[in-house]
Amino acid sequence: MMYFLDFDRTVFDTDSFIEYLNTHPIAGQWSHLPEMEFAGMLNTAVAEGALSFTPGELSQFLYQDAARFLRDKENGVMLITYGNAVLQRAKVDSALTGIPRISTMYTGEVRKGDFIAPHIGMYGASPVFVDDTVLELEILSARCPNATLYEMRRDGKLGDGRWPVIHSLTELP
């Protein structure tokens, strides 16, 4: 079975990471900015090399069940992440230090379902897709009807109701 896992808020505790950035000597100076401006400054700083993360520095933000799941499933997992590819790659590379054989798809500004639809058939008859964002689940459901979808709710909120809700990767088949 092939698992496609969203990175932010599914595998990686993004909210704790943002709190960490607020105290960071470089990124902290932008913490007062609105979210989109803050993200833009981060993207630019990482792209220009002014902000970087050492190997393993961001491992503390992997959810415990996620780190264990990634180690157990290895080649059976594909991370898929939306957003600025330079920043996302820096986060993934640092956070996954020491976890072998995990591949990642960086979609940039292309929605995950649109990005993966042309290729999903090569990953088996019924791949599993896990995301916390309803829009991503909607698009994937429409573009890849053979995928089994799960809505991740790390925040404890109720799910949308169209897909099974999980709170931990340990709940996956």
Side-chain angles (χ1 to χ4, degrees):
M1 180 174 299
M2 186 65 174
Y3 296 91
F4 290 90
L5 305 179
D6 167 51
F7 184 69
D8 287 302
R9 295 184 178 90
T10 297
V11 170
F12 186 78
D13 187 347
T14 306
D15 298 321
S16 294
F17 170 67
I18 291 169
E19 288 177 23
Y20 173 76
L21 288 177
N22 288 337
T23 64
H24 191 278
I26 295 171
Q29 64 188 327
W30 308 309
S31 62
H32 67 283
L33 296 174
E35 183 179 349
M36 293 307 292
E37 287 181 55
F38 181 63
M41 296 299 286
L42 290 176
N43 293 340
T44 300
V46 171
E48 293 176 352
L51 177 63
S52 62
F53 307 106
T54 61
E57 178 180 353
L58 303 184
S59 297
Q60 63 185 309
F61 301 111
L62 286 179
Y63 292 108
Q64 288 297 318
D65 65 293
R68 192 170 28 260
F69 188 86
L70 295 173
R71 284 187 181 93
D72 290 347
K73 301 297 182 190
E74 294 181 336
N75 292 329
V77 174
M78 175 75 68
L79 294 178
I80 184 164
T81 185
Y82 173 86
N84 179 285
V86 174
L87 176 59
Q88 291 302 96
R89 185 176 312 277
K91 288 167 40 183
V92 168
D93 288 350
S94 176
L96 295 185
T97 298
I99 300 178
R101 296 184 285 282
I102 301 297
S103 298
T104 306
M105 293 179 173
Y106 300 93
T107 71
E109 299 303 316
V110 177
R111 289 293 173 187
K112 295 170 193 166
D114 294 332
F115 187 88
I116 200 170
H119 314 288
I120 200 153
M122 68 181 156
Y123 295 103
S126 185
V128 172
F129 184 83
V130 181
D131 206 303
D132 67 306
T133 304
V134 170
L135 176 61
E136 298 292 357
L137 293 166
E138 287 174 337
I139 294 169
L140 198 88
S141 177
R143 296 292 313 269
C144 307
N146 65 320
T148 302
L149 307 179
Y150 291 89
E151 183 177 356
M152 176 60 81
R153 296 288 6 139
R154 298 266 188 198
D155 57 11
K157 294 181 181 176
L158 293 176
D160 177 82
R162 290 179 278 177
W163 306 281
V165 172
I166 61 172
H167 304 283
S168 168
L169 296 176
T170 61
E171 298 173 55
L172 290 172

